[in-house]
């Protein structure tokens, strides 16, 4: 494909990350570039992003909503991927989280911040700022970028648009007056535009106006067309079903590779699996858990929110902690979940370690040390930790939704005999089902040859972006054809 691509995201690893979107935005463009696509990444120039950069140039300037804005150019650290940054200190020059203030509440001007971000993306898309480069396709990700397809739709000559849904639960909903305060074209209001039951919906800009839509797993693409997972947008998604598909995320196999991972006490691969337990012993020591490589260790690294199955885990906790196992949870999120996890950890210090916070290094160490990984999500568009776990020979125990259903193959006898089993699927999203699956996993763990076979099944498949990047290129072609 010859047409250049502008890849727009509100976060990208390693510059800024709150979740899986950053992992995708920091690795899919690299794979696309490798496949020959002329691609540039566009991000807000958050304060923390600028602090990490040694070098950037101002390549253009523009003005929106009474703010002077510079467009900066740099490269993604460690790579030669051109990265453009929207520099508007009044809106993005703040410490901490890209979306939340220091009290954990959404910044009160988020609509303005991301509308401005979208307006600058449109300037670049239409080549209005004098860059020597113009995309033939704009790839938008999640609600923070979703006004771009809507704004571009008002132009006759425009690049094609693809909107990727990473999580339909986050929609960017604001009061209707915000739509008018932002001076958006009046024609975009209404139920066939950006209005959602009287509110102003950013995400509808992508869902209604993008030439093509996709989500991050085939199963989630089907689920969001049903009322249970659709948040009232399922009708619209069914209406656009012929333009909607699912592509399973890949992983950055350089960052997430047990054979080269710089954070590990002992690197290992499929031929030196016994070395994995050295990581477990090191982590047990570090976290002050009983040091014993025979005790099965369960890991969980997560935003502590309902989506990730915290209510199910907490309801199962009393019985779970009676099993002969250690559970290590790293995460942050809703205070009530943080507090109850910490309370359980105080009561069971030998079985449960809870680390509240965000820690990239520890997340790698948990992936490498644990024998099993818990992901009882209520819904999961793709999920990356089960993919990292598989690569690290850490078998996931996961609910059967979204990308989990598309990547975890249950260790039942039939799958085991076919050498495809790699984890445990919860029969339903209930505490008893979680406990039952953990029991099955512990039984397998005590059968060493069987366990090793499961680990090999998990570690063998190629989980890099290569195959999925090729699917994105095909989707770009379709979007461009739809737009011409
Ligand atoms: P989501 O995007 O819904 O949060 P994903 O599974 O797609 O879920 O991606 C989560 C990403 O964020 C993974 O890379 C995971 O390791 C990382 N992560 C989540 N919480 C933490 C944490 N507390 N510390 C370090 N990394 C975390
Ligand atoms: C979202 C989803 C997660 C997905 C990630 C990257 O945050 O919750 O399932 O893996 O986006 O696509």
């Amino acid at each position: 494909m010859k047409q250049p691509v502008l890849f727009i995201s509100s976060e990208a690893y390693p510059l800024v990350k709150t979740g899986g979107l950053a992992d995708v935005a920091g690795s899919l463009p690299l794979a696309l570039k490798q496949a020959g696509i002329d691609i540039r990444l566009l991000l807000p120039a958050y304060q923390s992003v600028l602090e990490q950069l040694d070098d950037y140039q101002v390549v253009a300037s523009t003005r929106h909503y009474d703010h002077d804005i510079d467009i900066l150019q740099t490269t993604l650290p460690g790579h030669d991927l051109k990265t453009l940054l929207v520099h508007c200190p009044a809106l993005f020059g703040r410490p901490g989280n890209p979306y939340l203030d220091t009290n954990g509440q959404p910044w009160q001007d988020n609509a303005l911040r991301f509308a401005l971000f979208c307006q600058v993306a449109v300037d670049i898309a239409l080549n209005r700022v004098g860059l020597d480069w113009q995309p033939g396709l704009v790839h938008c990700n999640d609600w923070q970028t979703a006004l771009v397809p809507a704004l571009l739709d008002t132009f006759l000559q425009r690049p094609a648009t693809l909107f990727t849904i990473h999580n339909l639960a986050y929609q960017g909903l604001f009061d209707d007056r915000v739509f008018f305060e932002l001076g958006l074209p009046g024609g975009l209001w209404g139920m066939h535009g950006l209005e959602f039951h009287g509110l102003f919906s950013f995400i509808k800009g992508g869902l209604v106006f993008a030439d093509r839509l996709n989500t991050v797993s085939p199963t989630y693409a089907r689920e969001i067309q049903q009322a249970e997972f659709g948040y009232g947008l399922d009708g619209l998604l069914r209406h656009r079903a012929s333009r909607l598909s699912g592509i399973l995320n890949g992983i950055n196999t350089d960052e997430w590779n047990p054979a080269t991972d710089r954070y590990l006490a002992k690197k290992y691969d499929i031929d030196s699996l016994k070395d994995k337990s050295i990581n477990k012993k090191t982590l047990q020591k570090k976290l002050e858990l009983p040091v014993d490589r025979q005790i099965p260790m369960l890991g969980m690294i997560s935003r502590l929110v309902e989506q990730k199955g915290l209510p199910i885990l907490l309801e199962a906790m009393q019985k779970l902690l009676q099993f002969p196992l250690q559970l290590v949870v790293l995460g942050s999120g809703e205070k009530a979940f943080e507090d109850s996890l910490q309370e359980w950890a105080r009561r069971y210090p030998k079985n449960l370690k809870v680390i509240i916070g965000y820690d990239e290094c520890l997340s790698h160490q948990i992936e490498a040390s644990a024998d099993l990984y818990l992901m009882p999500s209520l819904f999961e568009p793709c999920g990356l930790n089960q993919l990292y776990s598989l690569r690290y020979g850490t078998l996931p125990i996961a609910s059967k939704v979204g990308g989990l259903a598309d990547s975890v193959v249950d260790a039942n006898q039939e799958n085991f005999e076919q050498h495809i089993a790699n984890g445990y699927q919860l029969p339903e999203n209930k505490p008893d089902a979680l406990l039952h699956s953990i029991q099955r996993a512990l039984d397998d763990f005590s059968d060493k040859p069987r366990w090793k076979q499961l680990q090999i099944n998990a570690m063998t498949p190629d989980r890099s972006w290569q195959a999925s990047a090729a699917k994105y290129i095909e989707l770009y072609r379709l979007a461009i054809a739809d737009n011409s």
Side-chain angles (χ1 to χ4, degrees):
M1 196 188 86
K2 291 262 182 299
Q3 284 88 340
V5 173
L6 181 67
F7 190 102
I8 314 177
S9 174
S10 56
E11 49 182 279
Y13 180 84
L15 287 172
V16 47
K17 167 167 164 176
T18 70
L21 171 61
D23 292 8
V24 173
S27 57
L28 171 58
L30 299 174
L32 290 164
K33 183 166 183 291
Q34 184 128 36
I37 306 288
D38 173 7
I39 185 163
R40 295 187 192 185
L41 179 61
L42 182 71
L43 295 171
Y46 305 110
Q47 181 174 313
S48 60
V49 166
L50 293 179
E51 281 166 6
Q52 288 171 67
L53 294 172
D54 300 328
D55 192 32
Y56 51 79
Q57 295 87 40
V58 179
V59 288
S61 296
T62 180
R63 193 176 158 81
H64 289 284
Y65 304 124
D66 292 330
H67 291 290
D68 290 320
I69 303 152
D70 284 336
I71 299 171
L72 313 179
Q73 184 169 299
T74 183
T75 52
L76 195 67
H79 303 277
D80 59 356
L81 178 74
K82 282 193 180 144
T83 302
L84 300 168
L85 303 170
V86 175
H87 187 40
C88 178
L91 300 190
F92 297 120
R94 303 171 187 177
N97 188 288
Y99 317 119
L100 307 175
D101 65 20
T102 42
N103 297 318
Q105 296 304 313
W107 294 108
Q108 45 79 25
D109 55 354
N110 268 350
L112 171 65
R113 296 168 79 226
F114 292 106
L116 177 137
F117 180 52
C118 290
Q119 296 281 8
V120 177
V122 169
D123 287 343
I124 297 170
L126 297 174
N127 202 12
R128 293 195 294 213
V129 281
L131 293 181
D132 58 353
W133 182 87
Q134 186 177 10
L137 180 131
V138 179
H139 184 167
C140 301
N141 296 276
D142 275 357
W143 74 263
Q144 296 86 352
T145 65
L147 294 186
V148 176
L151 291 167
L152 284 176
D153 192 66
T154 58
F155 293 86
L156 273 175
Q157 288 287 331
R158 61 163 178 88
T161 50
L162 169 65
F163 182 71
T164 300
I165 303 162
H166 293 265
N167 196 334
L168 195 65
Y170 299 93
Q171 302 175 3
L173 285 176
F174 300 92
D175 269 359
D176 57 349
R177 66 173 169 76
V178 176
F179 174 89
F180 299 98
E181 283 166 13
L182 289 172
L184 296 169
L188 292 178
W189 190 245
M191 64 178 284
H192 300 297
L194 304 183
E195 183 185 351
F196 184 65
H197 301 292
L199 295 173
F200 163 36
S201 162
F202 266 59
I203 202 169
K204 278 191 75 188
L207 304 186
V208 174
F209 295 102
D211 295 311
R212 290 272 163 166
L213 303 174
N214 84 305
T215 73
V216 288
S217 69
T219 296
Y220 193 61
R222 288 190 296 275
E223 287 171 344
I224 55 176
Q225 296 180 50
Q226 300 158 21
E228 189 190 349
F229 295 97
Y231 302 96
L233 291 163
D234 44 300
L236 167 58
L237 290 164
R238 284 195 299 278
H239 175 70
R240 297 220 63 201
S242 66
R243 295 288 179 272
L244 167 64
S245 59
I247 301 178
L248 193 70
N249 285 335
I251 63 170
N252 182 333
T253 47
D254 294 327
E255 285 291 330
W256 293 95
N257 179 358
T260 57
D261 193 325
R262 63 188 182 281
Y263 296 119
L264 305 193
K266 181 78 183 168
K267 303 179 187 14
Y268 63 94
D269 61 17
I270 210 160
D271 298 317
S272 55
L273 261 172
K274 61 174 182 352
D275 288 346
K276 182 168 159 61
S277 64
I278 299 175
N279 290 294
K280 175 154 73 173
K281 282 167 68 176
T282 311
L283 187 65
Q284 286 169 331
K285 230 177 274 166
K286 173 169 164 177
L287 299 179
E288 296 172 337
L289 284 166
V291 178
D292 179 351
R293 65 188 184 90
Q294 302 298 342
I295 300 182
M297 182 188 278
L298 276 63
M300 183 168 182
I301 303 152
S302 184
R303 294 185 290 118
L304 300 177
V305 295
E306 199 184 359
Q307 175 194 345
K308 302 296 178 179
L310 268 298
I312 298 171
L313 175 66
L314 288 167
E315 222 180 295
M317 196 63 101
Q318 174 77 55
K319 289 185 183 157
L320 193 160
L321 293 171
Q322 311 308 316
F323 286 124
L325 55 75
Q326 294 175 345
L327 170 61
V328 176
V329 182
L330 165 63
S332 63
E334 286 173 32
K335 183 94 175 45
F337 293 138
E338 293 181 354
D339 289 349
S340 22
L341 281 171
Q342 283 179 309
E343 178 52 29
W344 281 111
R346 263 190 293 277
R347 288 167 56 190
Y348 291 85
K350 291 198 171 98
N351 301 85
L352 174 62
K353 201 80 201 177
V354 173
I355 305 101
I356 301 297
Y358 186 90
D359 188 333
E360 193 72 31
C361 164
L362 188 56
S363 74
H364 284 245
Q365 292 169 344
I366 295 172
E367 286 290 3
S369 305
D371 302 292
L372 288 155
Y373 189 88
L374 278 190
M375 219 154 159
S377 306
L378 300 182
F379 67 94
E380 197 60 78
C382 176
L384 292 170
N385 283 106
Q386 86 281 11
L387 301 177
Y388 301 147
S389 298
L390 290 166
R391 186 123 205 266
Y392 280 61
T394 305
L395 306 190
I397 299 177
S399 36
K400 203 173 167 181
V401 292
L404 299 173
D406 292 341
S407 55
V408 177
V409 184
D410 189 76
N412 58 38
Q413 201 48 33
E414 191 186 337
N415 291 336
F416 185 77
E417 281 160 16
Q418 289 178 38
H419 287 217
I420 53 172
N422 63 18
Y424 301 87
Q425 279 185 332
L426 302 192
E428 52 180 350
N429 285 357
K430 299 249 168 73
D432 282 345
L434 176 62
L435 294 164
H436 173 72
S437 301
I438 292 175
Q439 182 61 64
R440 287 179 59 212
L442 296 185
D443 291 345
D444 282 352
F445 182 72
S446 58
D447 177 346
K448 290 303 165 205
R450 184 179 171 90
W451 190 255
K452 189 165 181 202
Q453 183 59 53
L454 291 170
Q455 287 182 304
I456 292 171
N457 296 349
M459 292 172 84
T460 304
D462 176 8
R463 301 190 192 279
S464 76
W465 270 107
Q466 213 185 352
S468 293
K471 291 185 186 153
Y472 272 101
I473 294 173
E474 186 48 34
L475 201 48
Y476 292 168
R477 284 205 187 93
L478 292 171
I480 289 166
D482 287 349
N483 181 42
S484 55

